[in-house]
Amino acid sequence: MSTCVRCGLSATRQRVVIGSGPLTARLMIVGEAPGRTEDEGGAPFIGPSGKLFFALLQEEVGLTREECYVTNVVKCRPPANRTPTPKEIETCRPWLIEQLDRVSPRFILTLGNTAGRAIFAYQSGIGQVHGHVYRSGKIQGVPTYHPAAALRGGPSVVDVMRGDLGVIRRLMETA
Ligand code: URA
């Protein structure tokens, strides 16, 4: 994956941001695409939105970053952090599928619409589907807001994310 040139994002990226965490993780966290900090550092969610998200995860679910497998739908930073195109998402999908196969998580949390739609294939917006439970075989998944929206939207989005994280916590407790 680290030498992938399947799409044009390879021309402008610094690093392919593959993912982080143990392949034995029960929970997989999927975001949209690397931002500037991740492109420079080579790991997912190490910038401001990651800091916020992992603080919330610790408080609401009791898990640390190191206990989860963390990745993105698209592994290379889109220029100026634009949303990845449907073509880029499809071109990168085999890498995500391989990660899902290898980690085989029991639970998936998606952050934001791009990740939620890519994994759960819903058509509506995150406002309608956040906190709902999607089931596929042995996997249970919950979409929530992207932490960048919480950084922009302030305390009300944070509160909604806390509620969605509570859904995942209860699923993990009862599994
Ligand atoms: N936003 C994302 O969606 N993923 C990251 O890794 C960082 C910011």
Side-chain angles (χ1 to χ4, degrees), residues 17 30-39 43-50 70-74 81 111-112 114-115 146-148:
V17 179
V30 183
E32 178 174 305
R36 179 192 297 277
T37 317
E38 292 77 19
D39 184 49
F45 283 104
I46 54 174
S49 55
V70 189
T71 190
N72 286 298
V73 166
V74 164
N81 296 347
L111 306 182
T114 301
H146 195 286

